[in-house]
Structure formats: structure tokens, C-alpha cells
């Protein structure tokens, strides 16, 4: 069934279809309409779940951590400073290997206050051990929210579904709402790995020593470092799992894109523009315009940011002469974080493409198609300066 | 053998004694019950059990007579202090060690 | 509440294994052991970092025989809410959910989450064991450290502010049940937790747990010091049920006697109060007397 | 790709229902074969009474550029007083259409190269049995008449659906009556 709704409603419908059982959230713009919608679904009886109106984002994730441990499918959503307030809990959720799904409705972070979009909030949380997926449009919001639960539960790692605040969250677009029966076929009920059960009591997430230790049966149990190794190992393995799940979804719903990235007109492209989120789609408009000028431009939209699909990225980009990375976040004191990852993924190539890096759309600064076209047009040769960080440019800056 | 065989992806501790080791070794003084003064021992009835009630370490039994698990008793002395008939005395542990070493 | 349980009918089953890492003579050790007897097997414990985290055992060994989840410092009450929500949607009934936190995790970093959960009326028992400081990190001041007490971050003058009254804060949330108890009075403690277990809604239990290394007394005196706190009128045993305040157990007996032991006896039993001036002791004695005068009058 | 997109800006005051009007047109557009439909409300905090702008882009193909409209093909104004407050006409493309709810005669609005459609929707809404100031259904009738993009009956049905719990027939009637009474001033 097609509907025209906001991105936040698309996410809420996805969570409803995924039959999330415990939802905890704290209001923050531009996420709020998503969890408002869920509370409406629950209070009106359309959705069977518990909604906990907590007193902070820190507590929102605490509720999800505990509920997920106790065997319920848990969901939360937040933005910007709310996500940062969860920071400690983000590490905890991943460390405890809990398949929580969270929508991050991307917004710039204070100070100073901004309510508008960039991706500094979730990008700055990339090293918390969560899977991060960036979304292009409403169809992907609803589909990915459903897929995220299956991914999380198969690999026991929490998933952030990140979509641009306002640009996607408050914009209305048509999208297809999958039917419940098919979603149920795709997503089996949640079976927790470690369950809090009074009949089989365990002490979960207790202090773990620097070295290994023998358990009560005389077997060798992990030290803290083994548990961290397993998280890293499982995150790397999850790239294949995510790819398989993407294919499964495509089989049932007959749509879906690349699990790791999406290529647009890249087959013969001399220059490839790279972006994440709604920007990846916007770049397609610029690529089309430049192709009319005779410049062979393609676009790669990175969907999976953590784990970083370095092999797929390298494969997609290394055939081009130049790569132009557009980002709505910055690793202060260096360059755009995505660009940093991309240059490292390309490093193994014998003759890697040159890389340009642009920062844009920070704090909701409007991104104009013409500006994207100009930036790509001006990036068709090796950048000046000793390295990419030196040649970093900002689009639309009026300083 | 590595730790993979334990099949856990997070810390899930299972109940068992002696997480802190044989904590009896922490003791400097050993509580010793005199059955001729201890109420349940002397009268051979279920009574008193103040020592059991207050033991912070679950090392005193609620039995007639009460017994002390010296493997884990940390020797805090609460039982001796609270015993209403002063049936428990705290005795230098070193004496027992030299005794056991003989 | 009259003490209904006696030593002879206190359940014999233990839910704590011997050989924990708790200090010798730990007041929490007594309180925890007795509290778990009252809670029974069908319980899920939620524990933030504290001495209890260490007492409960280091992976892969658990000292406690009950299901427990360790959570971040500030999130005990929120995590308990999450467990309740999950049990509810999964249709698992008759499991008691208990937050078990120290005074730092309750009166300081965890107060926001606790207040939120209490305001939502979450159906759980929150137990704060109060050893009046950050003992697990080496005796720093907390919101419940009493005025005049030496701590490692009030090393010269002692704490110069009075303690925070957390049970009163919780009572202001109009929750179902607020009670105070002490590890020195295990049967009173047992009865209050037992009662809390039967009530629906948010229940808050504050346990005074003397700490030999943190307070500076011999481990054998844990019970003696706990009793002194009550007999001097410094720590009152009471319960507030549906807004009604009532002294209980040993504190109720003080009403009959109409006489408190001098507070100086309690202060002089602990080295943390060594730096306390006679003037401060006098001031605190006057505060205690005024509070108890009100208790006596209420009784009349 | 860009030139195939029809850009419509909707101007109202916070609480007046401009977003709902745009959403109804978005739905009807999608139903009549516009695959690409993107409606972008004002980003940020919306305050009751303050001017708000909603962008609606429609296209026969999927739309990839979600940025707000700068130069609309059609500007729809729910309150004529807004024309004095904010410069709506200046941004309109040459050959564009201005749709205004106004009690003033249509020849009060003449702009070079702009087609102007006017109707006193506040009065029509009142006649149709709607509460005073409920103009967001009526304005759709004027939009339909002026643009000829979407059939008025499809729009009327979309109105009934959107207002199914809040006077669906009265709202549809307001649009249909407005459609009939809209006066189009072709300018120069």
C-alpha cells in the first residue's frame, strides 16, 4: 500500500511492522514526531507494546538495554544532543551485545544550539560498536527499520538507522508500506542470547578481568579483551550477514539496493561523487547535469558506515580517476571522517584515484544543486596541497 | 584451549562460591564457639542463632550447634561481639596455622 | 509495623555464596543477605557500580544466586523500568524487580532516573544501601555523607554540609511505600522488604549500612555502630505508607523510653568523626533533640 | 530532470493548515501519475500565527533534490495580507501562477508575467458550513482552477479522505465552490 507521509512516520510504521515490544524515548527535535506516532499506535491499540516516557535519553537507552536483556524487542530514537547524552549507554548496549534498534534523526550538535540537519551527531558515535546505516529516502527508512531488527538480532549488535533531520524526517514523500504478513515472514520473533531468567540466574555484564578466568565448570572464560575482540570480529562478519539479509528482503518485497553502498551511473564514470544520506540522492541530480556537459560523473552513496565496507568501497571507487567526497560532518582538526575512511580504503590500490573532500550543509545550510555541480566540476584534477586535509573545502561558506 | 569454547558473547557470571577465593585466609582472629555456653548447643534446641543472623558472609549455619565455615569466614568478629552469652571467642589465627603445620 | 519475623522463622535458604570480595564485617553483606531472603528466588536485581558490584562477583563467577543485570551508574531505576516493561509485554508475571544501589548511585548520579521512575509509578522496589559515601572508589563524600565526616575528598575539614534526606525526597513523589532500615536490625529490614514486595507501585527502602574501613571502626563493631545510630536518634527507622509516617522497631521503642543516647557516643565510635569539633557535635545534638521532640509530641 | 519538476510554494500562517492543503495536493498528484512527490514543510519551529512556507514538488519521475523551493512555478497564498509581509511574488518564475485567498477584487493584483487567481475563500468556507478561517480546503479549488494540473474531482476526493473525521463534505464543497468562483487574471 502506498502512502504519502513524513520520514518520521515512515520510521514509526517500520517499527510497528517489526513488532517492537518496548519503546522508550525522550522528546527532541526533529525526532519527536516519530515517537509521538508510536505512542499513538500503542495507545490506540494498533500496536502491542510498552511505551515508557522516560525522563532523559540516557534513561531511554537504559530502558531498551534492560528490556532487550529481559527478552523484549526494544526501540528508541533520538537526535543530536540526545544521542550524545546516550553516549555511555551506546557503548554499553554494544558491549552487552544487545540487538536494540535506534533511529537517529540527524541534527547538528550544540554549542551553539541548532535544530537543523547535519550528521555530526551520529558520525561522532561511530566508534561505539553499533552498526550504522545511512538512509536516502522514505522507502529506505521504512524498509531499513524493519531490516535493522533482523540484522541486529542475527549478529547481536545494535543498529542505528540514521536519516537526515527535516530533509527526510519532516518531508512528505510517497512510499510503499509492506504488509504485516510478509514482514512477519521476513522477521521472526526475537530470541535473546542471554536472558534474565530467575530460573537460570546469571550476573550479566559484571566486572570482567584483564585476563581470562576459569568458570564454575572449569572451562576457560573470556577476559575483557576477548569480549572486545569478539565484538570487532562479529562486526566485520556482519557485512556478509547484512548483504544476505538485504537479498532476503529483496526476494520478499522486490526492492532494495546495495547493502553496503549504492552506485549510480558509475560504470564508465571518470569521477565519482560520494555522499551519505539524502545527500547521496541529491548528488545524482548533479551527476546527470554534468553528464549533459560531457563530464562522466557517477555517484556512490555509502549506506553502511560501520562496519565500514572497505572492500566494496575500494572496488567501486578505484576504477575512477577522481573521487569527490561530500560530508555533513567533520573530524575536527583533520578532515571529513568519511573521506578519511575512504582514503584509507583506497590506500592499498597501486594507483589510487585522487580524492577531494568537501564539507557542506552544516547546521542545516541549504545545499543547492548548482553548488554541487560546481564543486564536482572544479574537482576533476588532483587537488593542490600536500594532503587531503590541507585541501579540504567548505561549500556555501560566507566567511 | 582458548576461551571460544565457553560460548559467551558477553559477561554472564554463574553462581558459585569463592569468587574472592578462599576468604578464610583473610582472617587474623578465628571465632571459636564454646558449646557449653552457646544456647542452642547447651540446650540442644533451635534458639538464639544471633551469630547466624548477623554473619555478613553466610559462613555460620543455623544448626544445633551452629558451625562456622572456616574456609570462607573472614574473621570479622561480629558473631563474637553480638553473641548474647559470649560463647564465641576470637582466637589468634597464627596458633591454628602453627598447629596445622605440625 | 511490628516485627513479625523472628530469627526462628527467618528463611534458612541463602541466596549469597560465601567467599565474596566484600570487606570483613561489611554492613552491606548483612543487609544484602537478609534482603535477598525477603525477596526470594523469583527476583531480578538491577545493580549499578558500587560495592555491591564487587560483592556480587567478577565474571565468570557470581556470588549471588539470583538473576542480576549490571547497569551504568546513573540508570538503575530506568533499567528497572525496562525490565518491568519487557516482563509485562512478554506476559511474565510474579517476578519482583529490584534496583539495588548505593548512596552515591541513588542520592547523586542516579537521582534523576529514580525520580522519573517514581513519578511514572513503576512497579519495583528500589533499595538504597547507605554507607554514606563513595566507599568502592575509596571513601569520597556523597550526598548522604553526614556533616563533620572525614572523607578522602574532604580531608581536612570534613564534610561541611548536612546530608541529603533521600527518603523524604522519595516520599515527596507520593509513592506507595517509603521505609528506612538498618543492617543492625535485620528482622525489621526483612519485614519491610517483604511488605514492599506485596505492594503495587514504586517502593523505596533506605538501608543504613555501616562500613568498617570507610567509617573507621573495627569490623566486629558493624552491628554495634548501626545500633548506636538508631539509639542516639541519628538514624530513624520508619515507614511512610500512603503518606502516613510511623516510627518502627528500635526507633519506636525510643518513644516509649523517651530517652536517646548522646550523639557523641556514635561519633566517638568512628574515626571519620575524629576531626569533629565539640561545637559541631553540640549543634547536631540540638538538631536531633528538636527532631525527636517533634516525634514525642506527635506521639502525645 | 530538474525542468520536469513543478514547484509549488504554499504560504500561510502557523496553524492555518497550509501543510494539510499541500499534503492533499501531494496525495492527489501521486494518484494521478506523478511518481515524484516531495512536500517540504518549513524547517524549524513553527509558531501559531507566524508566516510559514511549505514546498511541494511534483514530477512524473522520482525527485532526488529535496532542497526547499526558491523559485516556484506556482505560489499559493492562504492569507492575502501575507503578500504585504513577505515578498512572495518576486520569487515566482516568469509565467508563473499566484493563487490568493482575498476579499479584494481580482484586478487589485496585477504583476508582470504572472497569472493571478483570486477567490474570497474565507467567505466561501463560511457559506460551506466550515468554521471561520478554515480556508485550506477551499484554496485547493482555486489552485485546481488556476493550474489545471489535477482534476478537481480527484482533489475533492482527497479532501474528503483527509478530512474524513472533520466535516468531509463541507470541506469538499468549499473546494468545489471555490473552483467555480475563482477569477483568473492573465495579466499582460
Amino acid at each position: 500500500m502506498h502512502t504519502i507521509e513524513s520520514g518520521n512516520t515512515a520510521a514509526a510504521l517500520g517499527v510497528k511492522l517489526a513488532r517492537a515490544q518496548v519503546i522508550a524515548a525522550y522528546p527532541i527535535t526533529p525526532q519527536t514526531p516519530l515517537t509521538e506516532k508510536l505512542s499513538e499506535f500503542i495507545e490506540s491499540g494498533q500496536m502491542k507494546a510498552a511505551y515508557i516516557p522516560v525522563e532523559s535519553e540516557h534513561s531511554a537507552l537504559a530502558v531498551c538495554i534492560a528490556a532487550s536483556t529481559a527478552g523484549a524487542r526494544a526501540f528508541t530514537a533520538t537526535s543530536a544532543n540526545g544521542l550524545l547524552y546516550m553516549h555511555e549507554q551506546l557503548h554499553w548496549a554494544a558491549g552487552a551485545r544487545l540487538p536494540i534498534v535506534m533511529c537517529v534523526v540527524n541534527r547538528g550538535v550544540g554549542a551553539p544550539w541548532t535544530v537543523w540537519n547535519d550528521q555530526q551527531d551520529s558520525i561522532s558515535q561511530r566508534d561505539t560498536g553499533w552498526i550504522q546505516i545511512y538512509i536516502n529516502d522514505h522507502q529506505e527508512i521504512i524498509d531499513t527499520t524493519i531490516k535493522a531488527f533482523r540484522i541486529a538480532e542475527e549478529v547481536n549488535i545494535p543498529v542505528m538507522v540514521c536519516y537526515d533531520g527535516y530533509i527526510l524526517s519532516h518531508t512528505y514523500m510517497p512510499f510503499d508500506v509492506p504488509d504485516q504478513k510478509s514482514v512477519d515472514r521476513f522477521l521472526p520473533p526475537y530470541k535473546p542470547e542471554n536472558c534474565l531468567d530467575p530460573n537460570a540466574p546469571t550476573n550479566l555484564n559484571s566486572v570482567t578481568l584483564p585476563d581470562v578466568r576459569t568458570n564454575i565448570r572449569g572451562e576457560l572464560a573470556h577476559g575483557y579483551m576477548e569480549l572486545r575482540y569478539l565484538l570487532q570480529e562479529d562486526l566485520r562478519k556482519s557485512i556478509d550477514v547484512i548483504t544476505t539479509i538485504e537479498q532476503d528482503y529483496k526476494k520478499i518485497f522486490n526492492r532494495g539496493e546495495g547493502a553496503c553502498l549504492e552506485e549510480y551511473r558509475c560504470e564508465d564514470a571518470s569521477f565519482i561523487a560520494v555522499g551519505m544520506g539524502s545527500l547521496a540522492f541529491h548528488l545524482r541530480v548533479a551527476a546527470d547535469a554534468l553528464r549533459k556537459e560531457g563530464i562522466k560523473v557517477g555517484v556512490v552513496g555509502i549506506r553502511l558506515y560501520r562496519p565500514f565496507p572497505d572492500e566494496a568501497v575500494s572496488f567501486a571507487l578505484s576504477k575512477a580517476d577522481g573521487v569527490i567526497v561530500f560530508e555533513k560532518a567533520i573530524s575536527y582538526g583533520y578532515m571529513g571522517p568519511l573521506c578519511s575512511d575512504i582514503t584509507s580504503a583506497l590506500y592499498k590500490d597501486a594507483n589510487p584515484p585522487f580524492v577531494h573532500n568537501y564539507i557542506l550543509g552544516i547546521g542545516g545550510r541549504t545545499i543547492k544543486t548548482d553548488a554541487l555541480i560546481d564543486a564536482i566540476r572544479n574537482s576533476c584534477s588532483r587537488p593542490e596541497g600536500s594532503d587531503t586535509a590541507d585541501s579540504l573545502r567548505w561549500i556555501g561558506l560566507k566567511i | 584451549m582458548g576461551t571460544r569454547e565457553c560460548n559467551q558473547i558477553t559477561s554472564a557470571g554463574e553462581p558459585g562460591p569463592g569468587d574472592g577465593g578462599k576468604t578464610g585466609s583473610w582472617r587474623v582472629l578465628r571465632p571459636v564457639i564454646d558449646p557449653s555456653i552457646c544456647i542452642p548447643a547447651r540446650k540442644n534446641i533451635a534458639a538464639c542463632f544471633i551469630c547466624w543472623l548477623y554473619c555478613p558472609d553466610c559462613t555460620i549455619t543455623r544448626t544445633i550447634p551452629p558451625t562456622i565455615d572456616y574456609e570462607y569466614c573472614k574473621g570479622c568478629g561480629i558473631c563474637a561481639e553480638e553473641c548474647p552469652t559470649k560463647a564465641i571467642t576470637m582466637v589468634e589465627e597464627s596458633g591454628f596455622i602453627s598447629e596445622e603445620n605440625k | 509495623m511490628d516485627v513479625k519475623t523472628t530469627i526462628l522463622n527467618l528463611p534458612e535458604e541463602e541466596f549469597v555464596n560465601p567467599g565474596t570480595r566484600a570487606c570483613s564485617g561489611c554492613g552491606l553483606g548483612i543487609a544484602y543477605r537478609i534482603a535477598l531472603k525477603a525477596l526470594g528466588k523469583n527476583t531480578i536485581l538491577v545493580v549499578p557500580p558500587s560495592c555491591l558490584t564487587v560483592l556480587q562477583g567478577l565474571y565468570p563467577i557470581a556470588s549471588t544466586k539470583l538473576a542480576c543485570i549490571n547497569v551504568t551508574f546513573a540508570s538503575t531505576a530506568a533499567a528497572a523500568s525496562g525490565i518491568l516493561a519487557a516482563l509485562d509485554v512478554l506476559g511474565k508475571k510474579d517476578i519482583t524487580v529490584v534496583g539495588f544501589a548505593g548512596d552515591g548511585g541513588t542520592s547523586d548520579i542516579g537521582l534523576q532516573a529514580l525520580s522519573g521512575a517514581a513519578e511514572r509509578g513503576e512497579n519495583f522496589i528500589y533499595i538504597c544501601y547507605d554507607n554514606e559515601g563513595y566507599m568502592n572508589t575509596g571513601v569520597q563524600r556523597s550526598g548522604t555523607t553526614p556533616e563533620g565526616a572525614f572523607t578522602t575528598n574532604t580531608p581536612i575539614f570534613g564534610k561541611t554540609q548536612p546530608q541529603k534526606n533521600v527518603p523524604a525526597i522519595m516520599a515527596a513523589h507520593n509513592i506507595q511505600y517509603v521505609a528506612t532500615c538498618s543492617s543492625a536490625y535485620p528482622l525489621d529490614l526483612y519485614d519491610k522488604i517483604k511488605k514492599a514486595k506485596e505492594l503495587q507501585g514504586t517502593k523505596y527502602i533506605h538501608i543504613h549500612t555501616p562500613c568498617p574501613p570507610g567509617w573507621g571502626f573495627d569490623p566486629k563493631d558493624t552491628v554495634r555502630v548501626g545500633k548506636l545510630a538508631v539509639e542516639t536518634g541519628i538514624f530513624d527507622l520508619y515507614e511512610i505508607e500512603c503518606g502516613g509516617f510511623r516510627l518502627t522497631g528500635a526507633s519506636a521503642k525510643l518513644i516509649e523510653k523517651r530517652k536517646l543516647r548522646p550523639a557523641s557516643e556514635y561519633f566517638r565510635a568512628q574515626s571519620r568523626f575524629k576531626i569533629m569539633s565539640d561545637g559541631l557535635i553540640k549543634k547536631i545534638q540540638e538538631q536531633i533533640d528538636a527532631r525527636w521532640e517533634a516525634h514525642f509530641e506527635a506521639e502525645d | 530532470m530538474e525542468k520536469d519538476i513543478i514547484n509549488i510554494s504554499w504560504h500561510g500562517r502557523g496553524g492555518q493548515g497550509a501543510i494539510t492543503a499541500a499534503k492533499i495536493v501531494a496525495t492527489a498528484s501521486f494518484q494521478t501519475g506523478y511518481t515524484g512527490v516531495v512536500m517540504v514543510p518549513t524547517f524549524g519551529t513553527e509558531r501559531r500565527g507566524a508566516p510559514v512556507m511549505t514546498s511541494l514538488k511534483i514530477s512524473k519521475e522520482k525527485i532526488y533534490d529535496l532542497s526547499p523551493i526558491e523559485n516556484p512555478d506556482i505560489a499559493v497564498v492562504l492569507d492575502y495580507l501575507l503578500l504585504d509581509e513577505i515578498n512572495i511574488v518576486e520569487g515566482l518564475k516568469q509565467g508563473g501562477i499566484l493563487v490568493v485567498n482575498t476579499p479584494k477584487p481580482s484586478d487589485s493584483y496585477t504583476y508582470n508575467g504572472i497569472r493571478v487567481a483570486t477567490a474570497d475563500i474565507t467567505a466561501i468556507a463560511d457559506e460551506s458550513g466550515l468554521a471561520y478561517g478554515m480556508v485550506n480546503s477551499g484554496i485547493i479549488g482555486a489552485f485546481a482552477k488556476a493550474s489545471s494540473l489535477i482534476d478537481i474531482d480527484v482533489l475533492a476526493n482527497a479532501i474528503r479522505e483527509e478530512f474524513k473525521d472533520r466535516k468531509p463534505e463541507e470541506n469538499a464543497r468549499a473546494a468545489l465552490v471555490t473552483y467555480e468562483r475563482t477569477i483568473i487574471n492573465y495579466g499582460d
Side-chain angles (χ1 to χ4, degrees):
Chain A
M1 183 201 72
H2 271 85
T3 185
I4 296 180
E5 278 298 345
S6 70
N8 278 331
T9 299
L13 287 166
V15 174
K16 176 171 167 277
L17 285 165
R19 298 189 190 278
Q21 293 165 302
V22 173
I23 290 144
Y26 187 75
I28 186 166
T29 302
Q31 167 282 124
T32 316
L34 157 53
T35 44
E36 275 175 356
K37 194 50 118 184
L38 286 171
S39 68
E40 182 192 318
F41 287 153
I42 294 166
E43 284 195 9
S44 65
Q46 296 174 67
M47 187 178 174
K48 194 179 169 293
Y51 182 87
I52 316 295
V54 284
E55 78 300 327
S56 75
E57 288 89 356
H58 191 274
S59 285
L61 200 47
V63 165
C64 291
I65 285 167
S68 184
T69 311
R73 187 171 280 164
F75 175 83
T76 185
T78 191
S79 299
N81 290 60
L83 180 69
L84 305 188
Y85 196 32
M86 288 180 178
H87 179 70
E88 171 195 32
Q89 305 282 47
L90 294 175
H91 280 280
W92 196 272
R97 304 299 299 270
L98 296 168
I100 297 161
V101 171
M102 164 159 61
C103 281
V104 177
V105 186
N106 289 117
R107 160 181 160 180
V109 301
W113 282 121
T114 171
V115 295
W116 296 280
N117 167 249
D118 65 39
Q119 294 172 341
Q120 193 71 33
D121 52 358
S122 55
I123 298 279
S124 73
Q125 303 307 305
R126 64 158 196 212
D127 296 337
T128 54
W130 285 56
I131 291 168
Q132 284 197 354
I133 301 171
Y134 287 79
I135 303 296
N136 306 134
D137 70 359
H138 290 23
Q139 192 63 62
E140 274 193 38
I141 293 177
I142 187 167
D143 291 345
T144 307
T145 305
I146 295 163
K147 284 177 237 177
F149 284 100
R150 169 107 178 257
I151 295 167
E153 288 166 21
E154 281 198 22
V155 296
N156 291 300
I157 295 170
V159 178
M160 272 183 220
V161 177
C162 308
Y163 58 89
D164 291 313
Y166 288 117
I167 298 171
L168 292 175
S169 68
H170 283 59
T171 294
Y172 286 67
M173 256 188 241
F175 57 91
D176 175 60
V177 182
D179 68 284
Q180 185 70 62
K181 233 171 127 183
S182 307
V183 174
D184 289 344
R185 192 147 62 90
F186 171 77
L187 180 65
Y190 168 44
K191 286 199 186 66
E193 176 77 16
N194 282 298
C195 194
L196 271 175
D197 181 2
N199 293 314
T202 53
N203 186 19
L204 286 169
N205 317 321
S206 49
V207 179
T208 301
L209 292 161
D211 212 337
V212 299
R213 190 185 186 199
T214 310
N215 70 15
I216 55 167
R217 285 179 303 282
E219 300 157 340
L220 216 50
H222 307 303
Y224 182 86
M225 196 158 96
E226 281 70 26
L227 290 168
R228 284 298 158 269
Y229 174 83
L230 282 175
L231 177 57
Q232 163 68 2
E233 184 180 70
D234 290 346
L235 266 162
R236 292 305 296 171
K237 283 184 189 163
S238 76
I239 297 176
D240 288 342
V241 177
I242 294 166
T243 308
T244 309
I245 289 172
E246 194 69 40
Q247 286 158 1
D248 280 1
Y249 195 85
K250 200 164 191 171
K251 262 182 237 156
I252 298 176
F253 300 98
N254 200 27
R255 65 166 170 267
E257 307 282 339
C260 302
L261 47 84
E262 288 172 4
E263 293 176 272
Y264 180 73
R265 303 184 83 168
C266 283
E267 316 78 43
D268 62 341
S270 306
F271 309 102
I272 296 178
V274 184
M276 294 204 295
S278 61
L279 178 58
F281 269 7
H282 199 170
L283 285 167
R284 294 183 179 191
V285 183
D288 287 342
L290 286 161
R291 283 207 171 239
K292 280 183 192 150
E293 292 179 18
I295 306 172
K296 287 182 177 171
V297 177
V299 179
V300 165
I302 305 287
R303 294 192 74 230
L304 188 62
Y305 181 56
R306 280 296 178 278
F308 193 65
D310 54 333
E311 270 183 42
V313 167
S314 161
F315 185 76
L317 301 180
S318 56
K319 58 198 176 215
D321 298 330
V323 171
I324 308 126
V325 184
F326 293 88
E327 293 187 70
K328 293 182 182 177
I330 183 158
S331 174
Y332 287 105
Y334 195 30
M335 59 169 94
L338 175 63
C339 185
S340 169
D341 288 339
I342 284 173
T343 44
S344 115
L346 291 171
Y347 185 71
K348 6 184 197 291
D349 285 12
N351 185 23
F354 59 79
V355 178
H356 284 270
N357 192 191
Y358 288 93
I359 303 294
L360 76 174
I362 298 296
R365 179 65 59 88
T366 301
I367 298 171
K368 294 179 179 169
T369 309
D370 288 345
L372 296 176
I373 294 169
D374 287 345
I376 299 169
R377 202 192 283 119
N378 294 333
S379 305
C380 296
S381 60
R382 196 162 287 279
E384 288 167 31
S386 56
D387 59 30
T388 316
D390 278 352
S391 62
L392 180 69
R393 279 172 281 180
W394 294 54
I395 294 178
L397 200 62
K398 294 171 184 171
I399 203 157
Chain B
M1 194 185 85
T3 60
R4 230 181 248 283
E5 284 73 18
C6 80
N7 258 331
Q8 289 200 321
I9 55 168
T10 185
S11 294
E14 294 166 277
D19 164 60
K22 305 285 187 219
T23 50
S25 67
W26 297 12
R27 230 168 27 238
V28 179
L29 298 172
R30 173 181 294 205
V32 177
I33 303 173
D34 182 343
S36 68
I37 311 175
C38 168
I39 298 166
R42 185 161 50 91
K43 296 188 178 169
N44 196 29
I45 53 160
C48 187
F49 298 133
I50 293 270
C51 53
W52 168 71
L53 178 71
Y54 281 121
C55 177
D57 287 294
C58 307
T59 55
I60 303 182
T61 58
R62 189 193 166 284
T63 50
I64 308 165
T67 61
I68 299 171
D69 181 351
Y70 292 119
E71 201 173 354
Y72 293 114
C73 165
K74 293 169 186 164
C76 67
I78 291 175
C79 52
E81 184 70 17
E82 296 303 317
C83 176
T85 56
K86 299 288 162 210
I88 305 174
T89 41
M90 299 304 288
V91 182
E92 276 286 338
E93 192 65 35
S94 53
F96 294 99
I97 293 166
S98 50
E99 191 102 329
E100 281 153 16
N101 288 350
K102 270 180 196 168
Chain C
M1 187 175 68
D2 302 315
V3 174
K4 292 183 218 88
T5 308
T6 65
I7 297 184
L8 292 182
N9 63 23
L10 186 73
E12 208 176 333
E13 187 179 3
E14 301 289 352
F15 295 97
V16 185
N17 282 302
T20 71
R21 288 168 204 262
C23 299
S24 177
C26 176
L28 166 63
I30 303 171
Y32 188 57
R33 220 189 109 214
I34 302 297
L36 298 200
K37 283 176 188 282
L39 294 168
K41 191 174 187 306
N42 231 5
T43 300
I44 292 175
L45 296 167
V46 183
V47 177
S50 70
C51 290
L52 183 53
T53 319
V54 177
L55 187 159
Q56 283 195 321
L58 273 46
Y59 177 73
I61 298 172
S63 300
T64 307
K65 300 176 194 174
L66 298 183
C68 175
I69 175 175
N70 287 269
V71 298
T72 58
F73 212 170
S75 64
T76 312
S81 308
I83 307 249
L84 286 166
L87 296 178
D88 183 44
V89 292
L90 297 170
K92 293 185 184 173
K93 298 196 193 315
D94 305 323
I95 297 175
T96 308
V97 177
V98 181
F100 214 124
D103 49 285
T106 304
S107 74
D108 297 338
I109 195 169
L111 192 59
Q112 174 176 310
L114 175 57
S115 173
E119 184 268 334
R120 294 191 301 272
E122 302 283 357
N123 184 24
F124 73 112
I125 305 174
Y126 189 101
I127 298 175
C128 167
Y129 70 92
D130 186 4
N131 51 27
E132 302 185 337
Y134 291 86
M135 300 323 189
N136 198 37
T137 48
V139 196
Q140 292 81 33
R141 78 188 283 286
S142 79
T144 67
T145 301
E147 190 173 359
F150 162 91
T151 69
T152 53
N153 60 354
T154 56
I156 294 170
F157 305 114
K159 189 178 167 185
T160 52
Q161 304 85 4
Q163 57 193 161
K164 192 189 283 191
N165 187 343
V166 187
I169 294 169
M170 295 316 294
H173 287 73
N174 293 317
I175 56 173
Q176 207 61 33
Y177 186 63
V178 174
T180 60
C181 29
S182 162
S183 57
Y185 300 95
L187 299 175
D188 176 68
L189 185 159
Y190 178 88
D191 281 341
K192 285 170 176 165
I193 293 177
K194 213 55 189 164
K195 182 171 184 174
K197 205 181 144 180
E198 302 311 318
L199 295 168
Q200 288 290 310
T202 308
K203 286 83 59 176
Y204 177 80
I205 307 228
H206 195 97
I207 312 177
H208 198 233
T209 53
C211 167
W215 296 10
F217 62 82
D218 193 284
K220 72 177 169 44
D221 292 327
T222 299
V223 174
R224 192 173 73 85
V225 167
K227 284 184 174 170
L228 266 176
V230 172
E231 290 166 358
T232 54
I234 285 173
F235 188 88
D236 301 349
L237 303 176
Y238 61 83
E239 57 182 11
I240 302 170
E241 206 180 344
C242 302
F245 175 94
R246 213 160 68 90
L247 288 169
T248 65
S251 291
K253 286 209 180 82
L254 293 175
I255 295 278
E256 293 160 28
K257 282 194 205 157
R258 297 269 156 158
K259 192 166 164 48
L260 308 174
R261 294 172 76 158
S264 58
E265 283 188 30
Y266 176 72
F267 294 132
R268 293 308 173 217
Q270 304 165 57
S271 68
R272 65 172 170 159
F273 293 117
K274 216 160 53 186
I275 49 174
M276 212 168 165
S277 67
D278 289 340
L280 182 57
I281 293 179
K282 191 166 166 274
K283 186 188 104 182
I284 292 173
Q285 184 66 63
E286 282 165 10
Q287 289 168 354
I288 296 166
D289 291 344
R291 197 173 76 246
W292 274 86
E293 203 46 52
H295 286 331
F296 294 143
E297 274 173 29
E299 192 63 23
D300 298 335
Chain D
M1 185 187 281
E2 189 77 52
K3 66 177 168 42
D4 303 326
I5 300 175
I6 301 158
N7 292 306
I8 309 159
S9 64
W10 298 76
H11 303 267
R13 296 186 186 277
Q16 210 177 10
I19 294 175
T20 307
K23 197 186 160 205
I24 290 164
V25 173
T27 306
S29 308
F30 185 70
Q31 286 166 352
T32 51
Y34 288 93
T35 313
V37 175
V38 174
M39 192 191 103
V40 188
T42 310
F43 291 166
T45 46
E46 190 179 296
R47 298 292 182 224
R48 189 161 291 262
V52 292
M53 198 270 271
T54 296
S55 298
L56 176 62
K57 301 181 183 186
I58 60 174
S59 168
K60 296 283 179 189
E61 281 166 36
K62 184 171 171 62
I63 297 169
Y64 290 106
D65 172 5
L66 308 181
S67 58
I69 294 170
E70 283 178 69
N71 301 108
D73 300 288
I74 305 169
V76 183
V77 184
L78 275 72
D79 174 357
Y80 70 104
L81 294 171
L82 285 168
L83 289 169
D84 299 329
E85 269 176 65
I86 39 175
N87 208 333
I88 295 167
V89 180
E90 197 170 274
L92 260 176
K93 277 184 196 153
Q94 274 295 304
I97 305 170
L98 179 69
V99 182
V100 191
N101 164 32
T102 176
K104 293 192 198 172
S106 71
D107 55 16
S108 326
Y109 303 93
T110 43
Y111 304 100
N112 212 356
I114 304 289
R115 190 191 307 173
V116 182
T118 57
D120 186 357
I121 301 162
T122 308
I124 296 169
D126 190 40
E127 270 176 48
S128 307
L130 295 172
Y132 182 79
M134 286 290 299
V135 296
N136 62 343
S137 48
I139 196 96
I140 292 167
F143 162 80
K145 182 75 164 280
S147 66
S148 309
L149 281 170
I150 301 152
D151 189 88
I152 183 65
D153 295 322
V154 176
L155 286 164
N157 281 334
I159 290 170
R160 287 188 189 96
E161 180 58 28
E162 179 66 32
F163 290 99
K164 60 176 180 256
D165 304 320
R166 296 167 291 163
K167 303 192 175 180
E169 283 313 319
E170 290 84 340
N171 278 294
R173 195 185 313 137
L176 292 165
V177 172
T178 305
Y179 183 83
E180 295 305 330
R181 292 201 203 156
T182 298
I183 297 165
I184 298 171
N185 176 349
Y186 288 89
D188 304 316

